[in-house]
Amino acid sequence: MQHDMSPSHADKNHGSLKSYTIGFVFSILLTIIPITVVMSGWLAGKASAIILMVTAVLQLVVQLIFFMHLREEKKPRYNLLTLILGLIILLVIVIGSMWIMMYNMVAL
Amino acid sequence: MWERVKTFASEFFVTGDPLIYGADVSIVITILGIVIGLTYFNKWGWLWREWLTTVDHKKIGIMYILAAFIMLFRGGVDALLMRAQLAAPEMNLLPPDHYNQIFTTHGVIMILFMAMPFMFGLFNVMVPLQIGARDVAYPFLNALSFWLFFSGAMLFNLSFVIGGSPDAGWLAYPPYSGIMHNPGVGQDFYIWGIQISGIGSLMTGINFIVTILKMRAPGMKLMKMPMFPWSVLSSCIAIIFSFPILTATLALLFLDRYAGAHFFTLDGGGNPMMYINLIWMWGHPEVYIIVLPAFGIFSEIVSTFAKKKLFGYKSMVYAMMIISILSFLVWAHHFFTMGSGADVNAFFALTTMLIAIPTGVKVFNWLFTMFRGKITFETPMLWTMGFIPCFIVGGLTGVLLSVAPADFQFHNSYFLVAHFHQVIIGGVVFGYFAGLYYWWPKLFGFKLNERIGKWAFWFWNIGFYLCFMPQYALGLMGMTRRVVTYGWDKGWWEMNLVSTIGAGLMGIAFLFQVWQIVYSVKHLRKDETGDPWNGRTLEWSIPSPAPVYNFATLPHVTSQDEWWEEKQRRLQGHPAPAPVKIEPIHMPKNSGIPIVMSMFWFFTGFGFIFDWLWLAIPGLVGVAACMLVHSFNYDTDYYIPVEEIKRTESAIRGVTS
Ligand code: HEM
Ligand SMILES: [Cu+2]
């Protein structure tokens, strides 16, 4: 058995019923909030945009912690490293595009 | 009724061009030939069991490479047609709209459906063998990646006989690729062909990162890994971060075209420049994705044929990792002329020039590896020798292009065309050829004929320089990229003629390669050693072709060039390590789901292209059904019993051990 084909069998400690329930409740909440904000029209313009973005980021965090088990990873923490690199590249994309496009408001 | 069928057919199929009718006929004949051949020799079952449903990385790799060769042929014919049209002034071989389609399909096919699958093929055939693994981390996903690529590629190629080809260049800049200027289905073929194969590319990236990080043989620390897997790792890192950008960008373009969104339109608050900005965030990493593995291949070959350890192993590793990250910071050099201002241009000019540093480090490493080595010049080494000067010139012209103010002159001229062909043919294509020649004996158990190989090499090289050196000059003389023809008064025709002759030589070189393969199969001289080049890394320690399970017992690695060191130890009289007890080997089972699921993706794509929801929706349902079926399939693996391993081993190793 030691020549296991799949590397994912190595770490078996995947969460508990409690952590899954908490994660599920959080992610449902974080879905309902933006929907109600948009559908009911409580907030408009910038305020609603901010709420949408904040809930989206929180949703990402919830998914990573409760379902992707980011905290339970053993060393070397490749998943965490990849995530950080991904975030850096995301920042490059967003900030870089804004910087480049600032001079290019031809369509406005 | 008949009338309606006729009007439908005349819009559905591409009509009116004798070249295309000729192609139609040859496609139908080829398909009929294959179907009849398979039926006559009763090979359908064999094809299905051994190839179409395989999850064996070696077979998947071979299928990738075969597909890449077919695509190289198609892209090559496109290229020769373009060069024929440009051979002399005021030619009328191709009408302008047809010319636009041809340069578009040429570019897309060569990068996405030739270079990428060729690269994935080499990843597949060699990475597990080099790191002492029995397969990739996710064999099922690997098969799915291949079939998704294949569906995407076939979908794209179909545009040429059904519906009409895309014609907005290989990166499909809006507004021209938008629905307003391009109402036909060509651009939709482009979007769906690339999207479907793009999912496959992303999954391959993930698969090989995990394979390399988690499945190395015991004792193989990262810093003892051969250089090719390192290059694969760096290339895959760039893949997993850049392909999502491509997918998102094309999805936005699709929404513009399909759902009337305004991301990149000129009206409704959109901005076509944003597309250019986004697509190059993938596009630049992409060119490094394809060239990094070539660097890895050259490193292996140089050290094998100079019979020396690679010079500066660590600096090579760092150089590749730096390149793969830095390649995300240079994208704006593709649109210096867009007018983003001096600060932006200065920043991106600088980062671009910085990339030349790690690239230069690598060139010196190869040269120092060769220095005082006992070099022999078999074909893999020959390609490496062809690559080094070619890539240096290509890199230098790249640095010229990266000088932002000067780029206002060079941009989108034939100078640019010459630059990227020089790095892509001289770097990527030469590299993959070198890799294929080098590893061919491992894949098939015999060497390719050296004499014909040398002819192919010289034809490729001479053809290359004849074709592209004049283009630098033409660019400086004002010839712009993508022109369909030019006048006698320009003074461009002599050099264009030379360029066309060079392209013809490369076409002949390709024929030499096909002949070389056919000849070597006919006059097959089996390589019994499994190590025909006196190699240094683990793939040469097992018989060729490798058995399904690759390694009967997993090797224990203690040094960087493990197999070379082992051979030295044996020469010095140390006994070969005592045979380890053979144990049952755990292997993945074949599956038909990847090919079926990819077929459903094909229907989905085709349905969206023609806006036939009756086809697209069942297609998507089929995709979902395949996923569901696979998630409930627990019968995915099996054990090869010890008896069978012993039998296989003694059969292939014969009397030698
Ligand atoms: C030292 C390294 C390199 C530098 C400094 C460099 C620089 C540049 C610059 C500045 C451009 C844009 C020029 C323009 O549009 O006016 C360019 C275009 C291009 N380069 Fe490079 N390059 C380098 C290496 C490579 C490599 C290794 C590849 C591919 C394997 C490559 C492929 C391309 C392609 C495909 C284009 C043109 C794409 C298009 O416009 O359609 N380059 N390069
Ligand atoms: Cu670039």
Side-chain angles (χ1 to χ4, degrees):
Chain A
M1 260 318 273
Q2 83 253 46
H3 306 310
D4 215 323
M5 286 302 307
S6 155
S8 63
H9 290 299
D11 23 22
K12 275 268 193 290
N13 51 340
H14 273 358
S16 62
L17 187 65
K18 191 174 145 222
S19 73
Y20 278 125
T21 322
I22 298 176
F24 188 63
V25 170
F26 269 128
S27 63
I28 292 276
L29 269 180
L30 288 169
T31 311
I32 294 174
I33 295 173
I35 291 183
T36 35
V37 166
V38 173
M39 300 307 272
S40 66
W42 284 342
L43 299 167
K46 218 169 209 163
S48 79
I50 288 175
I51 296 277
L52 291 192
M53 284 192 216
V54 170
T55 48
V57 171
L58 288 179
Q59 179 74 261
L60 178 75
V61 174
V62 168
Q63 299 281 331
L64 285 173
I65 291 178
F66 292 99
F67 301 121
M68 313 300 239
H69 309 285
L70 195 65
R71 281 182 311 177
E72 295 153 36
E73 191 189 9
K74 283 200 238 56
K75 277 189 182 173
R77 306 192 66 170
Y78 290 125
N79 288 337
L80 188 66
L81 275 175
T82 320
L83 184 72
I84 292 172
L85 193 55
L87 286 177
I88 292 175
I89 288 178
L90 193 70
L91 282 180
V92 168
I93 296 173
V94 174
I95 297 172
S97 297
M98 285 165 73
W99 189 37
I100 290 171
M101 299 304 294
M102 259 192 314
Y103 294 88
N104 268 299
M105 296 306 196
V106 285
L108 296 182
Chain B
M1 179 62 199
W2 177 236
E3 275 308 307
R4 276 181 50 201
V5 173
K6 250 169 66 186
T7 30
F8 169 77
S10 73
E11 279 164 22
F12 187 68
F13 294 106
V14 176
T15 50
D17 189 323
L19 279 175
I20 294 196
Y21 289 137
D24 286 345
V25 173
S26 59
I27 291 172
V28 171
I29 291 178
T30 317
I31 293 177
L32 273 181
I34 294 174
V35 170
I36 292 174
L38 284 171
T39 314
Y40 182 80
F41 292 106
N42 202 4
K43 287 286 187 191
W44 283 104
W46 165 81
L47 186 69
W48 178 257
R49 278 189 310 274
E50 296 290 320
W51 294 94
L52 304 188
T53 59
T54 188
V55 290
D56 181 342
H57 67 98
K58 301 179 283 296
K59 287 184 177 166
I60 292 176
I62 291 171
M63 290 194 289
Y64 265 124
I65 295 173
L66 186 65
F69 254 77
I70 296 170
M71 290 293 106
L72 180 61
F73 175 74
R74 152 95 213 254
V77 171
D78 283 349
L80 290 178
L81 282 172
M82 286 189 285
R83 277 321 313 173
Q85 163 68 21
L86 292 176
E90 283 154 31
M91 283 277 269
N92 270 322
L93 181 68
L94 301 170
D97 51 341
H98 196 182
Y99 188 83
N100 292 352
Q101 298 180 347
I102 289 188
F103 70 65
T104 303
T105 54
H106 167 76
V108 175
I109 286 178
M110 285 303 201
I111 301 260
L112 287 156
F113 302 133
M114 190 285 286
M116 292 295 278
F118 204 153
M119 173 181 92
F120 289 148
L122 292 168
F123 285 12
N124 265 290
V125 293
M126 271 315 137
V127 169
L129 298 187
Q130 285 202 309
I131 62 173
R134 288 190 170 129
D135 207 319
V136 293
Y138 309 113
F140 174 87
L141 209 60
N142 196 23
L144 185 58
S145 295
F146 171 75
W147 289 109
L148 284 174
F149 144 72
F150 193 74
S151 299
M154 289 303 110
L155 195 60
F156 185 85
N157 275 280
L158 209 58
S159 67
F160 151 68
V161 289
I162 291 179
S165 298
D167 63 352
W170 79 282
L171 287 178
Y173 285 3
Y176 183 60
S177 61
I179 196 79
M180 198 206 249
H181 304 281
N182 223 322
V185 292
Q187 280 328 116
D188 300 303
F189 270 110
Y190 172 93
I191 292 173
W192 282 96
I194 295 179
Q195 291 294 53
I196 292 175
S197 68
I199 311 170
S201 306
L202 180 59
M203 294 194 311
T204 306
I206 297 171
N207 211 337
F208 277 88
I209 291 182
V210 181
T211 306
I212 290 171
L213 291 183
K214 298 270 188 174
M215 308 224 350
R216 275 164 289 132
M220 186 183 277
K221 302 242 174 57
L222 271 177
M223 278 297 174
K224 288 193 177 129
M225 194 163 69
M227 200 44 72
F228 180 61
W230 266 118
S231 70
V232 174
L233 183 64
S234 62
S235 162
C236 287
I237 291 175
I239 289 179
I240 63 166
F241 292 121
S242 70
F243 267 78
I245 309 179
L246 173 70
T247 305
T249 310
L250 289 184
L252 296 180
L253 184 64
F254 172 69
L255 288 177
D256 271 13
R257 290 181 58 86
Y258 188 78
H262 292 282
F263 293 106
F264 309 126
T265 58
L266 279 165
D267 53 346
N271 189 344
M273 304 285 198
M274 191 60 187
Y275 179 93
I276 299 173
N277 172 57
L278 289 176
I279 199 91
W280 279 114
M281 255 177 233
W282 160 77
H284 185 84
E286 165 66 12
V287 302
Y288 274 96
I289 287 169
I290 54 180
V291 86
L292 280 166
F295 293 164
I297 292 169
F298 291 127
S299 307
E300 301 282 343
I301 290 175
V302 162
S303 112
T304 299
F305 290 92
K307 297 180 191 56
K308 276 175 66 188
K309 217 173 169 152
L310 187 68
F311 181 90
Y313 177 93
K314 272 198 180 149
S315 62
M316 207 70 145
V317 170
Y318 290 127
M320 283 198 293
M321 287 300 153
I322 289 172
I323 290 178
S324 91
I325 303 301
L326 213 55
S327 70
F328 282 89
L329 299 176
V330 300
W331 76 93
H333 68 215
H334 292 277
F335 44 92
F336 281 143
T337 52
M338 193 162 96
S340 295
D343 297 350
V344 172
N345 280 6
F347 175 83
F348 284 98
L350 246 154
T351 51
T352 306
M353 292 172 197
L354 277 180
I355 285 209
I357 298 174
T359 315
V361 167
K362 304 167 76 66
V363 172
F364 281 110
N365 282 341
W366 293 316
L367 294 179
F368 283 127
T369 308
M370 283 188 255
F371 183 63
R372 293 204 172 142
K374 294 195 201 70
I375 308 178
T376 49
F377 291 96
E378 283 96 339
T379 35
M381 189 61 182
L382 217 51
W383 285 100
T384 311
M385 299 304 289
F387 150 80
I388 293 178
C390 197
F391 197 80
I392 291 176
V393 176
L396 283 178
T397 58
V399 176
L400 293 181
L401 287 165
S402 70
V403 180
D407 187 56
F408 278 66
Q409 277 302 315
F410 305 141
H411 184 55
N412 280 359
S413 72
Y414 260 82
F415 190 91
L416 166 76
V417 173
H419 157 69
F420 70 72
H421 282 91
Q422 184 146 27
V423 278
I424 291 181
I425 296 183
V428 177
V429 177
F430 284 13
Y432 296 175
F433 283 160
L436 188 63
Y437 284 114
Y438 181 54
W439 283 315
W440 184 280
K442 183 48 57 189
L443 285 181
F444 298 106
F446 61 94
K447 272 195 204 177
L448 286 173
N449 182 285
E450 283 280 315
R451 197 169 38 87
I452 310 175
K454 286 189 175 149
W455 279 93
F457 169 79
W458 286 109
F459 266 82
W460 263 109
N461 265 269
I462 296 170
F464 171 80
Y465 286 100
L466 275 183
C467 184
F468 292 104
M469 290 304 121
Q471 293 187 4
Y472 282 117
L474 283 168
L476 297 179
M477 289 161 72
M479 183 165 165
T480 51
R481 168 186 203 181
R482 294 174 177 164
V483 289
V484 60
T485 192
Y486 52 92
W488 286 100
D489 54 339
K490 298 282 191 197
W492 296 343
W493 73 270
E494 299 94 333
M495 279 197 270
N496 269 300
L497 186 62
V498 173
S499 183
T500 300
I501 294 171
L505 293 186
M506 286 189 273
I508 296 174
F510 179 76
L511 296 182
F512 267 114
Q513 290 179 301
V514 175
W515 180 36
Q516 182 189 15
I517 294 175
V518 174
Y519 182 92
S520 313
V521 172
K522 263 182 86 175
H523 302 255
L524 196 140
R525 292 233 308 279
K526 190 143 176 35
D527 161 50
E528 305 285 352
T529 59
D531 184 13
W533 312 113
N534 196 2
R536 310 175 72 82
T537 36
L538 286 180
E539 76 268 33
W540 304 111
S541 68
I542 52 175
S544 343
V548 251
Y549 46 76
N550 297 350
F551 297 88
T553 55
L554 287 183
H556 283 258
V557 178
T558 51
S559 52
Q560 186 189 315
D561 287 336
E562 178 63 21
W563 176 236
W564 178 263
E565 302 293 341
E566 172 68 27
K567 284 189 286 191
Q568 298 307 335
R569 281 195 289 270
R570 286 186 201 174
L571 278 182
Q572 286 160 10
H574 293 273
V580 189
K581 199 170 133 269
I582 293 180
E583 285 172 48
I585 296 177
H586 189 194
M587 295 298 287
K589 264 193 183 159
N590 284 0
S591 168
I593 293 177
I595 185 172
V596 174
M597 185 161 150
S598 305
M599 241 164 55
F600 281 119
W601 269 114
F602 182 92
F603 292 136
T604 308
F606 201 81
F608 276 116
I609 288 166
F610 283 93
D611 204 354
W612 292 346
L613 288 184
W614 57 265
L615 186 62
I617 292 170
L620 284 173
V621 172
V623 170
C626 285
M627 289 184 188
L628 219 63
V629 171
H630 182 62
S631 355
F632 288 103
N633 177 15
Y634 297 104
D635 180 25
T636 54
D637 46 358
Y638 69 106
Y639 280 89
I640 306 182
V642 175
E643 270 315 298
E644 194 184 325
I645 302 168
K646 283 191 175 147
R647 230 178 310 125
T648 320
E649 286 292 304
S650 56
I652 41 183
R653 296 206 185 237
V655 275
T656 45
S657 71

